[in-house]
Amino acid sequence: MKPNFNQLLEGNDLSFEETKALFNACFQEDVSDAELSAILVALKMKQPTAQELAGLADVIHTNSPFQFELDIPAMDNCGTGGDRSNSFNISTCAAFVLAGAGVTVAKHGNRRVSSQTGSADVLEELGIPLDLTKPQIKYILQENNIAFLFAQHVHPTLKQIAGVRQKLRTPTIFNLVGPLTNPVALQSQLIGVYSEEALPIVAKSLQTLGRKRALVIHGAGGMDEASMQGENKYILLANNELKEGTIHPEDVGLSTYTNQEIEGGDAKQNAAILHSVLNGEPGAYLDTVLFNAAIALFATGHVDTIENGVDVARNSVFSGKAKAKLDTLVQYSKEAKQEVV
């Protein structure tokens, strides 16, 4: 660990393999809080690179006891948090729309970060347990096309680092790495980032990690989701190439809304918003979910254009298929608790 740590202290970047060696040592050795703090601060001071972000993500992924592969292609749609928008649970709601459209979604998430309510909080309110075993999660994914992986539960090795981060009270590399650490072997992803500067870093990290297709987006007004407020910037990873682009809701036939119009509340309020969207209630919440689901469908290669994705997402909602995925997730979770060890 020491040589790589000294490199960081001198302001030098680490390679993918050097980063893996450093953080593997952190997870496997008796490392003090002071040493962990020094590593995180050193990375922050020199600014993390894509190789360092990918290296850390790979270590967290491979050290998770919940790591597994599926026989079917799986994706995740998740934001980094940190945009302080207080938005409702956009990606969580969009995940059910994706599942209703036939996409397998291993939804990875946590308690609240930049919103009043995180994905774990609202799903718990909806009756979905957060403590399922690996076989139970795998069973649900295969049977229902969507399951939730609670970050704190599936990454127990991060407990010490979580404590150090709380004491530091400053953003670190861990504010970017979360969406990259899903223990399921993903083929594609949609990731929202809270800063425009993070776009190329996260996109290149996904490329290093071997995603077949992915899209990283930074929303208008500083959101870590696609925003209805204006132009959204993104980088698409396809055929191992990175391509920059922009997308405005009006480009795909949707209305514009301010970010303030999609603010959420506590877990109970956000659960009610989620139900209203899946029931097809028109307005800013529904259009925001359709927009983000459409971009995710494009990110996976499920549709050729984001505009086509809007049509597919709308059909998932108004056919009742998206709502059915929520209902069956609750049902399958109960069954898995009883029947799957």
Side-chain angles (χ1 to χ4, degrees):
M1 185 177 87
K2 193 170 182 180
N4 293 331
F5 179 41
N6 288 339
Q7 274 188 258
L8 288 180
L9 289 178
E10 292 167 4
N12 297 322
D13 296 335
L14 299 182
S15 68
F16 177 70
E17 292 298 334
E18 287 169 338
T19 307
K20 284 175 59 177
L22 175 64
F23 280 101
N24 268 318
C26 289
F27 291 145
Q28 294 169 11
E29 297 176 8
D30 188 16
V31 178
S32 69
D33 285 359
E35 288 172 315
L36 283 173
S37 296
I39 290 169
L40 297 185
V41 170
L43 274 167
K44 178 184 174 66
M45 293 298 290
K46 73 160 203 64
Q47 306 217 345
T49 65
Q51 290 294 301
E52 290 163 347
L53 189 63
L56 172 58
D58 185 78
V59 169
I60 296 171
H61 173 87
T62 55
N63 275 276
S64 171
F66 283 77
Q67 183 188 4
F68 65 86
E69 295 186 8
L70 290 170
D71 297 330
I72 47 178
M75 70 91 64
D76 188 12
N77 65 321
C78 186
T80 57
D83 64 5
R84 307 191 180 200
S85 66
N86 290 321
S87 59
F88 76 106
N89 301 99
I90 298 168
S91 61
T92 305
C93 197
F96 292 107
V97 178
L98 293 170
V103 176
T104 299
V105 186
K107 184 72 182 80
H108 186 234
N110 215 333
R111 299 278 185 194
R112 68 189 184 105
V113 179
S114 58
S115 305
Q116 293 185 49
T117 307
S119 54
D121 303 303
V122 73
L123 291 173
E124 193 173 44
E125 176 67 27
L126 291 165
I128 296 161
L130 306 181
D131 60 346
L132 295 170
T133 64
K134 180 164 73 171
Q136 289 166 351
I137 292 170
K138 192 170 184 178
Y139 164 78
I140 293 169
L141 265 177
Q142 291 171 329
E143 295 296 320
N144 192 48
N145 279 61
I146 183 169
F148 181 66
L149 296 95
F150 179 36
Q152 293 179 34
H153 179 58
V154 300
H155 298 298
T157 54
L158 295 183
K159 188 174 181 180
Q160 182 187 6
I161 289 177
V164 170
R165 289 178 65 201
Q166 285 181 341
K167 291 174 185 174
L168 282 175
R169 296 187 178 182
T170 185
T172 68
I173 191 173
F174 279 88
N175 291 76
L176 283 179
V177 79
L180 298 167
T181 61
N182 196 316
V184 178
L186 302 174
Q187 289 202 8
S188 56
Q189 265 188 282
L190 170 65
I191 295 180
V193 294
Y194 59 81
S195 74
E196 188 177 339
E197 292 74 23
L199 277 171
I201 299 172
V202 175
K204 289 173 185 175
S205 296
L206 287 164
Q207 187 179 39
T208 300
L209 292 168
R211 298 291 188 272
K212 289 189 175 179
R213 200 174 156 94
L215 190 146
V216 186
I217 194 161
H218 175 62
M223 286 193 68
D224 71 329
E225 311 270 4
S227 166
M228 310 302 288
Q229 186 166 288
E231 190 173 80
N232 301 272
K233 297 183 178 182
Y234 69 81
I235 297 178
L236 173 68
L237 168 63
N239 301 316
N240 203 33
E241 295 182 356
L242 298 173
K243 182 179 179 181
E244 295 182 7
T246 61
I247 183 73
H248 191 287
E250 291 178 349
D251 295 340
V252 293
L254 293 172
S255 301
T256 57
Y257 301 93
T258 66
N259 290 343
Q260 288 69 40
E261 290 177 86
I262 57 166
E263 289 183 357
D266 61 19
K268 192 174 290 294
Q269 289 173 296
N270 281 12
I273 292 171
L274 189 147
H275 274 295
S276 75
V277 169
L278 298 187
N279 286 327
E281 186 176 314
Y285 295 128
L286 174 61
D287 282 3
T288 300
V289 169
L290 293 178
F291 193 33
N292 278 271
I295 294 169
L297 288 163
F298 177 65
T300 66
H302 198 80
V303 294
D304 293 331
T305 66
I306 295 173
E307 189 171 12
N308 288 343
V310 174
D311 293 333
V312 173
R314 188 176 278 117
N315 179 67
S316 177
V317 172
F318 287 99
S319 67
K321 291 178 180 178
K323 177 64 162 55
K325 288 298 177 182
L326 169 60
D327 295 337
T328 51
L329 178 57
V330 175
Q331 174 192 334
Y332 277 122
S333 296
K334 291 177 181 177
E335 288 180 7
K337 280 268 194 180
Q338 296 170 352
E339 300 173 13
V340 181
V341 179

